[in-house]
Amino acid sequence: MEETYRLGKHEFATREEWEAAKRDLEKIETIVAHLDIDDPEIVKDIYHFIRDGKVIFESKLGTMFFCDISDRVAQNFEYKLKKSKKLHQQKQRKEAEQKKEEQQNLRETQQSQMFKYLGIACAALSLICVLFYGISVFRERSATKKLEEVQRQKNISQALDWYADRIRREADESQLDIQQAEQSEPETETEKPLEVLPEYTTMHNQYPEFAGWIYIDDTQIDLPVMQTTDNDYYLDKNIDGTEDVNGTLFLDCRNDFTKPGTNLIIYGHNMKSGAMFGGLKQYLDEEYLSAHDRIQFDTIYEKQNYRIVAVCLSDVGGEGSYRYYNYIEANTDEEFATFLENVRNCAVYDRTQDVMKSDSLLTLSTCNNYVEDGRLFILAKKIQ
């Protein structure tokens, strides 16, 4: 039974997260016990200490406390702004009653006030930018935690399902021995239905659209691959269907990975953080390509290894542009020759000399802003 870690009303997935939350709680209790967080100046100092990294939190409890401090700072700022506005209105009424000879001084005062308002507006704009940045960082960290959770789940499933499959195979072998001993004539073999690999059984049961897992050694690409009937669905959703700016890697809906095909295509965003397929642009460096030219892509039914044979840049927006992502199956030698010719025309690095029509191919596709509607795609050949 999986152990549950709680701290008050908060629940944590791992003991490490729970211990981090306890440490954060001790920090929070110390701050509240020794400092008056209702004092605007003190709460502002606390905000700067946390923002500048002088006080570091490790869990969502710390994040919630920082959000509360930020709200207090914003409320205090709003109060000061209203008070300043009221004082200004009073000052305008008083200046309206002054004599005409004081008009020059009034204009100078108004000019001074204009700079003051500009400063306040700049401060407010800065605060808004900080808040938006904080929200962006929080969303990115949440997405990263979700991905790490899926990766941990895969590793656990791999270990548990491997053991369960071993027991099952031993039982099947024993039963087969008994049947063979009882039968005088061999039975005609029937085609067995596809079986999900043991290490992916749990993942597939939890996520029915889970199609496989892609891994490139010494890179950030160690990720699940989904497949659904809509190629737009996973552009802005993570593996469990919730909103995620990083999206999720997904297999082209036209691919049938249950039987051998010409070309499997996997799509992913080119994230600045390097997430998803953000690291593929490094393949434009030939030295990097030479050190990372192997791709492992396991469907839920079969383990597969590929070797990269081409790195290409393509413009898919213009008239007559070659849309490589429409090459799914090579029905004729002419179709295969046309595809290979176009790959070579847009290749930055070309190693397609030994690619044949009978080869199984894998394409990794992402955006690239070298031109409008630009794409970077990597073509790999199955070697195992």
Side-chain angles (χ1 to χ4, degrees):
M1 181 176 179
E2 185 176 351
E3 188 172 0
T4 301
Y5 299 94
R6 295 181 181 276
L7 194 61
K9 63 180 181 179
H10 301 284
E11 183 174 327
F12 302 88
T14 66
R15 183 177 183 84
E16 290 76 10
E17 293 178 355
W18 176 71
E19 290 175 347
K22 286 185 64 180
R23 291 192 294 271
D24 284 352
L25 183 59
E26 291 175 0
K27 294 177 185 177
I28 294 169
E29 290 174 346
T30 300
I31 291 172
V32 174
H34 293 85
L35 298 174
D36 182 7
I37 61 174
D38 292 323
D39 187 315
E41 295 300 319
I42 292 177
V43 79
K44 185 170 68 173
D45 290 340
I46 295 173
Y47 170 81
H48 286 294
F49 268 86
I50 299 175
R51 188 196 65 183
D52 297 340
K54 296 178 181 179
V55 175
I56 298 176
F57 292 113
E58 306 170 60
S59 70
K60 62 183 180 183
L61 288 183
T63 301
M64 292 171 61
F65 179 72
F66 180 57
C67 289
D68 179 65
I69 292 297
S70 300
D71 288 341
R72 290 172 181 266
V73 171
Q75 291 171 2
N76 293 335
F77 178 82
E78 183 180 2
Y79 172 77
K80 288 183 178 180
L81 192 62
K82 289 181 179 179
K83 184 177 180 181
S84 176
K85 182 177 180 180
K86 183 177 180 180
L87 291 174
H88 173 63
Q89 292 173 345
Q90 293 174 349
K91 186 174 183 179
Q92 281 188 322
R93 287 195 295 268
K94 184 177 180 180
E95 288 175 349
E97 298 172 357
Q98 292 179 350
K99 297 178 181 181
K100 292 182 180 181
E101 58 265 28
E102 296 175 347
Q103 289 181 354
Q104 182 62 33
N105 292 334
L106 178 60
R107 285 194 294 270
E108 294 177 356
T109 301
Q110 290 174 337
Q111 186 179 17
S112 176
Q113 290 296 320
M114 182 183 65
F115 285 112
K116 180 179 179 180
Y117 296 147
L118 182 61
I120 293 174
C122 289
L125 182 60
S126 298
L127 180 59
I128 292 172
C129 290
V130 168
L131 290 175
F132 273 105
Y133 175 75
I135 292 171
S136 175
V137 170
F138 177 75
R139 291 179 63 187
E140 185 172 343
R141 288 180 178 175
S142 297
T144 300
K145 287 182 178 179
K146 178 61 182 179
L147 183 57
E148 290 173 349
E149 176 188 337
V150 172
Q151 289 172 333
R152 286 195 300 270
Q153 183 179 4
K154 179 220 174 187
N155 293 334
I156 294 172
S157 297
Q158 189 170 6
L160 294 177
D161 292 337
W162 174 86
Y163 181 75
D165 182 65
R166 178 182 174 185
I167 299 300
R168 184 167 57 253
R169 283 189 287 106
E170 290 177 352
D172 291 343
E173 290 172 359
S174 299
Q175 184 64 29
L176 181 61
D177 291 340
I178 295 173
Q179 291 176 352
Q180 288 176 343
E182 293 175 349
Q183 293 174 350
S184 57
E185 296 181 359
E187 294 183 356
T188 302
E189 291 187 3
T190 58
E191 184 178 349
K192 294 182 178 180
L194 289 173
E195 294 185 0
V196 177
L197 294 172
E199 55 266 51
Y200 298 126
T201 301
T202 301
M203 287 279 292
H204 183 59
N205 290 339
Q206 185 171 358
Y207 306 105
E209 293 178 344
F210 172 65
W213 196 279
I214 185 170
Y215 172 76
I216 303 178
D217 189 33
D218 193 33
T219 72
Q220 293 189 52
I221 298 178
D222 184 10
L223 303 165
V225 178
M226 311 299 283
Q227 187 184 45
T228 185
T229 56
D230 180 4
N231 275 349
D232 293 331
Y233 181 78
Y234 282 106
L235 289 174
D236 57 0
K237 294 179 179 63
N238 63 26
I239 189 171
D240 59 9
T242 57
E243 294 294 325
D244 187 340
V245 68
N246 293 313
T248 303
L249 302 187
F250 61 93
L251 192 66
D252 194 297
C253 64
R254 297 168 293 179
N255 282 134
D256 182 1
F257 62 88
T258 64
K259 57 186 178 181
T262 302
N263 187 28
L264 296 176
I265 306 176
I266 301 175
Y267 303 95
H269 283 311
N270 179 9
M271 303 303 294
K272 291 182 179 179
S273 65
M276 298 302 123
F277 276 167
L280 292 188
K281 52 183 170 288
Q282 296 184 76
Y283 279 100
L284 296 173
D285 180 350
E286 189 170 8
E287 184 176 345
Y288 184 89
L289 168 62
S290 298
H292 304 84
D293 68 343
R294 294 294 189 272
I295 300 173
Q296 179 182 338
F297 173 53
D298 299 342
T299 70
I300 58 175
Y301 301 117
E302 179 186 10
K303 294 182 178 295
Q304 303 174 126
N305 287 284
Y306 296 82
R307 176 175 57 85
I308 295 175
V309 295
V311 177
C312 305
L313 290 173
S314 176
D315 173 11
V316 300
E319 285 285 338
S321 298
Y322 183 67
R323 290 162 173 77
Y324 60 91
Y325 44 78
N326 285 328
Y327 182 73
I328 303 293
E329 295 289 342
N331 297 315
T332 65
D333 291 340
E334 290 74 15
E335 287 183 10
F336 172 72
T338 299
F339 169 73
L340 206 57
E341 179 183 359
N342 281 282
V343 166
R344 289 167 177 167
N345 288 339
C346 63
V348 179
Y349 299 107
D350 179 14
R351 301 176 178 178
T352 60
Q353 294 80 3
D354 60 345
V355 176
M356 297 180 294
K357 180 175 177 289
S358 58
D359 289 328
S360 294
L361 303 177
L362 174 68
T363 299
L364 309 184
S365 176
T366 191
C367 294
N368 188 283
N369 60 4
Y370 82 104
V371 294
E372 186 177 0
D373 291 324
R375 298 290 188 276
L376 166 65
F377 71 95
I378 291 175
L379 183 68
K381 169 184 172 180
K382 186 177 180 182
I383 57 176
Q384 183 179 335

